[in-house]
């Protein structure tokens, strides 16, 4: 190599009989060191997916907004060009540590992490001080387009997104997620029967709620989204509301006393599913706004609703489609409408619009069978 090279401290490893290297790259160097395939090229001539530019601002914002505790996973790249590894020692444990020299004329192509690379570039424009920080890069020698495409497929083959519940459990930046965790911890039924790592519950699952459904419902109740500010009054209000709801839901109480299993309840009742929990919160928020002084008295009307899945006249196409529970936004609204009629409250404009689409004409006030 003639001296026109990029030099990095590196660790050498072996996978599938071939050498690879882990290097540390300053963030300010990432945009000019790593390239993309031309998006105008057909997919069979690229080694990556097309960049989804809509994802970039969120990742960049995460880096910029959390300068003291952001974390970025390694990039993975292939080098098409001359590379030389010079170990610190030829024998012993340090033989795998040394200097990796990459020819400046080499093409370094990202196999995994193109959105992180683009977000880093945007973040540095907003906060230049980040440029001297580093990201780890796993580097492989380029063995042609076919191998690069296979690397992309292999790297993404077994990727599994974490469930929404587990993300809420571990997210300590989101104040609303924190409120949801505190809410679950404060109410015995929620504490004992909420799944923290699942978004949907299987037949064998002994838990009755999911953290994600409690979170979505509580966000609906207090009218706040992820970016909203949360205070102690919000938590106290959420605890008061859900405690009152549980008092008016005898079937839920039977879960707490273990007189019935969570599976049996999910099998037989609409209220045992997240869509109904969210609908109760939505209707509850409207009830409290309309009757702030005696909303708890009206909440007792939850007992008058026939929540049984056997009540097909009420729930078919409203909550059930071909006998299976549907979880669309419109189904949540349609269930909310049932509860609003039980509360003897007019439907919201959106509730009426969806109701008219579902079944033109008024929903009967009497909703129990």
């Amino acid at each position: 190599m003639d001296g026109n090279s990029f030099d990095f401290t590196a660790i050498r490893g072996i996978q599938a009989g071939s050498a690879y290297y882990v290097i540390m790259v300053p963030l300010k160097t990432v945009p000019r060191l790593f390239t993309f395939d031309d998006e105008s090229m057909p997919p069979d001539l690229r080694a990556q997916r097309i960049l989804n530019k809509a994802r970039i601002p969120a990742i960049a914002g995460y880096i910029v907004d959390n300068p003291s505790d952001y974390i970025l996973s390694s990039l993975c790249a292939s080098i098409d060009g001359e590379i030389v590894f010079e170990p610190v020692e030829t024998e012993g444990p340090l033989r795998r540590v040394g200097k990796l020299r990459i020819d400046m004329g080499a093409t370094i192509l990202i196999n995994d992490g193109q959105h992180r690379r683009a977000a880093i570039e945007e973040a540095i424009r907003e906060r230049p001080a980040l440029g001297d920080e580093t990201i780890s890069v796993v580097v492989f020698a380029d063995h042609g387009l076919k191998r690069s495409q296979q690397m992309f497929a292999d790297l993404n083959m077994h990727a599994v997104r974490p469930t929404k519940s587990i993300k809420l459990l571990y997210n300590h930046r989101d104040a609303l997620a924190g409120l949801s965790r505190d809410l679950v911890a404060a109410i015995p039924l929620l504490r004992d029967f909420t799944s923290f790592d699942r978004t949907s519950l299987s037949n064998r699952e002994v838990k009755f709620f999911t953290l994600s459904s409690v979170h979505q419902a509580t966000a609906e109740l207090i009218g706040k989204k992820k970016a909203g500010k949360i205070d102690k009054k919000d938590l106290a209000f959420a605890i008061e509301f859900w405690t009152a709801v549980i008092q008016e839901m005898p079937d839920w109480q039977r879960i707490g006393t273990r007189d019935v299993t969570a599976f049996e309840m999910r099998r037989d009742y609409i209220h045992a599913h997240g869509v109904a929990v969210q609908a109760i919160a939505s209707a509850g928020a409207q009830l409290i706004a309309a009757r702030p002084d005696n909303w708890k008295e009206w909440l007792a009307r939850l007992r008058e609703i026939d929540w049984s899945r056997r009540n097909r006249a009420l729930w078919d196409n409203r909550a059930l489609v071909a006998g299976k529970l549907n979880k669309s936004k419109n189904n949540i609204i349609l269930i909310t409408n049932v509860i609003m009629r039980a509360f003897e409250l007019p439907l919201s404009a959106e509730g009426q619009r969806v109701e008219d689409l579902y079944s033109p004409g008024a929903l009967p006030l009497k909703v129990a069978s």
Side-chain angles (χ1 to χ4, degrees):
M1 199 170 289
D2 60 7
N4 294 320
S5 65
F6 298 106
D7 294 352
F8 299 96
T9 298
I11 300 174
R12 181 178 184 270
I14 300 292
Q15 282 186 6
S18 299
Y20 72 98
Y21 309 90
V22 179
I23 61 176
M24 297 297 162
V25 179
L27 296 186
K28 62 187 176 185
T29 306
V30 167
R32 55 192 175 90
L33 189 62
F34 301 102
T35 62
F36 291 117
D37 283 340
D38 187 347
E39 294 183 5
S40 64
M41 296 173 63
D44 59 332
L45 296 180
R46 294 197 308 264
Q48 310 156 292
R49 71 187 110 191
I50 292 176
L51 193 69
N52 182 354
K53 295 181 180 179
R55 291 180 56 193
I56 297 170
I59 303 173
Y62 160 74
I63 300 170
V64 171
D65 295 341
N66 301 282
S68 62
D69 61 352
Y70 74 90
I71 184 169
L72 293 171
S73 57
S74 300
L75 303 177
C76 182
S78 295
I79 300 177
D80 182 8
E82 186 179 0
I83 59 174
V84 174
F85 178 69
E86 300 174 353
V88 172
E89 296 180 357
T90 57
E91 300 292 339
L94 292 181
R95 71 185 186 280
R96 294 189 177 90
V97 180
K99 180 187 295 183
L100 184 68
R101 305 183 67 188
I102 304 173
D103 183 74
M104 286 186 177
T107 298
I108 309 176
L109 184 69
I110 292 182
N111 299 107
D112 184 62
Q114 59 265 42
H115 292 91
R116 271 165 281 155
R117 177 246 182 233
I120 288 169
E121 183 174 12
E122 185 171 312
I124 291 174
R125 281 199 294 266
E126 292 188 48
R127 194 183 285 269
L130 292 169
D132 292 327
E133 298 188 1
T134 59
I135 186 170
S136 58
V137 182
V138 181
V139 175
F140 296 84
D142 192 311
H143 294 293
L145 176 62
K146 184 176 180 180
R147 173 56 180 162
S148 292
Q149 290 175 335
Q150 187 62 57
M151 286 175 63
F152 177 85
D154 290 348
L155 288 166
N156 289 277
M157 182 184 301
H158 301 294
V160 177
R161 292 175 63 86
T163 66
K164 186 170 183 179
S165 287
I166 201 74
K167 287 192 289 185
L168 290 168
L169 180 63
Y170 293 160
N171 189 347
H172 298 282
R173 291 193 179 93
D174 183 351
L176 187 55
L179 181 148
S180 298
R181 294 191 299 267
D182 292 341
L183 169 66
V184 169
I187 299 178
L189 182 67
L190 297 183
R191 183 190 64 227
D192 296 341
F193 292 94
T194 295
S195 172
F196 290 97
D197 54 5
R198 299 183 186 276
T199 300
S200 59
L201 300 175
S202 68
N203 291 343
R204 296 180 180 180
E205 178 59 64
V206 298
K207 301 297 185 181
F208 187 63
F209 307 95
T210 66
L211 181 58
S212 61
S213 67
V214 172
H215 175 80
Q216 288 176 301
T218 303
E220 186 76 29
L221 173 70
I222 65 177
K224 294 186 179 180
K225 303 301 181 183
K226 182 175 180 179
K229 292 184 179 179
I230 303 296
D231 56 37
K232 292 182 179 179
K233 291 182 180 179
D234 292 318
L235 176 59
F237 169 56
I239 293 173
E240 181 182 14
F241 175 80
W242 288 114
T243 299
V245 167
I246 291 169
Q247 290 176 349
E248 304 301 340
M249 299 292 284
D251 287 334
W252 288 12
Q253 296 172 35
R254 292 170 62 205
I255 291 290
T257 56
R258 293 175 171 79
D259 291 332
V260 65
T261 67
F263 161 66
E264 291 172 324
M265 198 64 68
R266 286 192 296 272
R267 181 192 63 195
D268 296 337
Y269 294 96
I270 300 296
H271 61 51
H273 298 269
V275 287
V277 175
Q278 192 168 341
I280 289 171
S282 179
Q286 296 174 72
L287 171 64
I288 293 167
R291 301 190 177 109
D293 297 327
N294 64 342
W295 62 270
K296 288 185 180 180
E297 297 175 16
W298 283 93
L299 204 61
R301 293 293 187 91
L302 290 172
R303 292 175 177 263
E304 299 181 9
I305 299 174
D306 181 0
W307 294 98
S308 172
R309 293 171 72 131
R310 292 192 298 269
N311 186 4
R312 304 296 291 269
L314 178 61
W315 299 118
D316 269 2
N317 298 320
R318 181 177 296 278
L320 301 171
V321 176
K324 294 184 178 181
L325 197 79
N326 206 8
K327 302 178 181 180
S328 74
K329 180 180 178 181
N330 279 357
N331 290 106
I332 294 172
I333 293 172
L334 289 168
I335 298 171
T336 301
N337 289 350
V338 171
I339 304 170
M340 291 291 285
R341 284 294 189 248
F343 291 159
E344 298 185 14
L345 290 173
L347 304 185
S348 67
E350 179 66 4
Q352 189 63 61
R353 184 190 70 81
V354 175
E355 190 66 36
D356 290 341
L357 290 174
Y358 158 74
S359 178
L363 178 71
L365 187 62
K366 188 70 172 177
V367 295
S369 61

